[in-house]
Amino acid sequence: NSEDVRCKCICPPYKDHSGHIYNKNVSQKDCDCLHVVEPMPVPGPDVEAYCLRCECKYEERSSVTIKVNNVILLT
């Protein structure tokens, strides 16, 4: 299920740009700033410096397990 995977990039403030959290459904190999951060908030020369500050993590979850646990908790 495409909703069960995502890449989450947390980018701190950089120069005059505020910090931001980006989420995107991409494969694990594409879980990096260049593939997830859209639109890129900084101009070309600053992209590398901006991306080095961002922390990107690939996350997986099982929505079926979550639904089952909710049903058990609610009964």
Side-chain angles (χ1 to χ4, degrees):
N1 189 350
S2 63
E3 297 166 0
D4 287 343
V5 296
R6 71 176 177 178
C7 182
K8 180 179 181 180
C9 290
I10 301 172
C11 299
Y14 178 76
K15 293 188 177 178
D16 60 343
H17 300 281
S18 60
H20 197 75
I21 297 174
Y22 299 90
N23 292 304
K24 191 171 182 183
N25 291 339
V26 295
S27 66
Q28 190 170 9
K29 69 179 182 72
D30 290 334
C31 185
D32 59 37
C33 174
L34 295 174
H35 289 98
V36 176
V37 176
E38 290 180 356
M40 187 61 69
V42 295
D46 288 333
V47 169
E48 185 177 356
Y50 180 79
C51 282
L52 286 173
R53 298 170 57 92
C54 296
E55 182 181 340
C56 297
K57 291 183 181 177
Y58 184 74
E59 299 175 343
E60 292 181 75
R61 67 179 182 185
S62 172
S63 58
V64 173
T65 302
I66 294 168
K67 289 175 185 175
V68 169
N69 283 337
N70 287 340
V71 168
I72 291 171
L73 289 172
L74 294 174
T75 55

